[in-house]
Amino acid sequence: MARWEPDAAGRLREAALQLYVDQGYDQTTVAEIAERAGVTARTFFRHFADKREVLFAGSGALEQAMVDAVRAAPASASALDAVGAALDAAGEVIGRDHAFSRRRAAVITANAELHERELIKMARLADAMTGALVQRGVAPAEARIAAETGTTVFRVGFERWVSGPGRHGLAATLRESMAQLRGLVAG
Amino acid sequence: MARWEPDAAGRLREAALQLYVDQGYDQTTVAEIAERAGVTARTFFRHFADKREVLFAGSGALEQAMVDAVRAAPASASALDAVGAALDAAGEVIGRDHAFSRRRAAVITANAELHERELIKMARLADAMTGALVQRGVAPAEARIAAETGTTVFRVGFERWVSGPGRHGLAATLRESMAQLRGLVAG
């Protein structure tokens, strides 16, 4: 990033979200985003491949943090406990900015293409966690169920956090959803 | 359906799948499907809105059967038991033709647009089951977790059934996946 553009990525992200919320995602151009952020379109493209990427730039880091957490869980941890550690990590990575997450979710829900992209992201996350569990020695079929269920708990807990006032942290909400699942299964 | 076209829908479905598998979904036209099925394109459009619809025509019936099963579960059934009844119903509705399901899954996995459509279908299924559970008096947050988890078990079990030899029925495989989830949660 050039010296005279401190946190251009952050300003672009904020400008994009505002425009997506105010006038709609489809109606917003990269030129408008750059203008509102006070940078050139060229600077936009130095940070993001396209206007969709502004909303999904963090996906890789999120997946990496969750996979790392599965790998780092104690050898004695069950498959579901390892997945729980991944949810804790997710809470750390994306739970810091409730206002951003809330607006991002609203934009994504309102747009079929973005919604589909989000679903694909979730499917990839489950695949990555399945792989990490298998590397821990969990049988593939069990790993798949554990990872997919963990992803489901993540999605449901995240939606709950985003649609609430955000007083409780994301990690706490995810733990609550996981406890709810355990309660449902217990009877 | 006209008298001189017995089971035109079935023949169109079979012809479409063969072409999608042999030459690719994107490369296949409605005209080719109709020709292979021995009907006109006009007949095709009497049965399906477009070539994608051939693969998703059963979605509405599947969702309805699953929602009906949730509604019909005994009042004493837990949320997860009601979802289990929905999985049994799904096994009945789409478990009859393993060869069709297997080829359909291969076509869908190979095509990003179809894969996205399938993910959206699953999200809708979870929404519908959540609604049916809430109508049974299950608290919304619990209903959501139960329905989403049930949909996850359905997806994972279905994938397992489709990628196996199909000797066991789909319903049995879904029950196995549900039992696996219960085992994971139990410890």
Side-chain angles (χ1 to χ4, degrees), chain A residues 52-64 66-67 90 93-94 100-101 104-105 108 113-129 144 147-148 151 154-155 158 170, chain B residues 115-116 119 155:
Chain A
R52 194 175 73 167
E53 196 54 27
V54 180
L55 297 167
F56 292 96
S59 301
L62 173 65
E63 185 180 308
Q64 194 57 54
M66 293 179 80
V67 164
V93 173
I94 57 169
F100 174 82
S101 292
R104 177 183 177 280
I108 285 173
E113 183 208 333
L114 298 175
H115 189 213
E116 286 168 1
R117 179 79 179 73
E118 184 81 346
L119 291 173
I120 295 267
K121 182 183 105 179
M122 288 294 156
R124 284 201 191 135
L125 190 58
D127 284 348
M129 284 205 290
R144 178 124 222 114
E148 294 280 358
T151 306
F154 170 65
R155 196 160 39 78
F158 185 79
L170 172 58
Chain B
H115 189 213
E116 286 168 1
L119 290 173
R155 197 159 40 78

Side-chain angles (χ1 to χ4, degrees), chain B residues 15-110:
Chain B
L17 253 194
Q18 275 183 19
L19 288 166
Y20 296 165
V21 169
D22 291 349
Q23 66 188 35
Y25 173 80
D26 283 331
Q27 285 71 43
T28 301
T29 65
V30 165
E32 287 174 304
I33 297 168
E35 193 189 336
R36 177 173 291 215
V39 302
T40 61
R42 193 172 162 164
T43 298
F44 176 94
F45 289 116
R46 214 176 295 141
H47 294 283
F48 303 103
D50 52 39
K51 68 176 184 172
R52 194 175 74 166
E53 196 54 26
V54 180
L55 297 167
F56 292 96
S59 301
L62 172 65
E63 184 180 310
Q64 193 57 55
M66 292 179 81
V67 164
D68 286 349
V70 169
R71 288 195 184 128
S76 61
S78 74
L80 210 60
D81 288 341
V83 167
L87 298 191
D88 284 346
E92 286 299 314
V93 173
I94 58 170
R96 281 175 211 143
D97 193 343
H98 184 262
F100 174 81
S101 293
R102 188 190 187 100
R103 289 183 298 160
R104 177 184 177 278
V107 171
I108 285 174
T109 305

Side-chain angles (χ1 to χ4, degrees), chain A residues 116 145 148 152 155 184, chain B residues 116 120 145 148 152 155 184:
Chain A
E116 286 168 1
I145 283 276
E148 294 280 358
T152 300
R155 196 160 39 78
L184 276 171
Chain B
E116 286 168 1
I120 295 266
I145 284 275
E148 294 279 358
T152 299
R155 197 159 40 78
L184 276 173

Side-chain angles (χ1 to χ4, degrees), chain A residues 79-80 115-116 119-120 141-142 144-146 148-149 152 155-156 159-160 177 180-182 184-185, chain B residues 79-80 115-116 119-120 141-142 144-146 148-149 152 155-156 159-160 177 180-182 184-185:
Chain A
L80 209 62
H115 189 213
E116 286 168 1
L119 291 173
I120 295 267
E142 271 191 12
R144 178 124 222 114
I145 283 276
E148 294 280 358
T149 302
T152 300
R155 196 160 39 78
V156 172
E159 278 168 20
R160 198 178 297 169
S177 295
Q180 218 151 25
L181 169 70
R182 289 182 191 270
L184 276 171
V185 172
Chain B
L80 210 60
H115 189 213
E116 286 168 1
L119 290 173
I120 295 266
E142 272 191 11
R144 178 124 222 114
I145 284 275
E148 294 279 358
T149 302
T152 299
R155 197 159 40 78
V156 172
E159 278 168 22
R160 198 177 297 169
S177 295
Q180 219 151 26
L181 169 71
R182 288 183 191 270
L184 276 173
V185 172

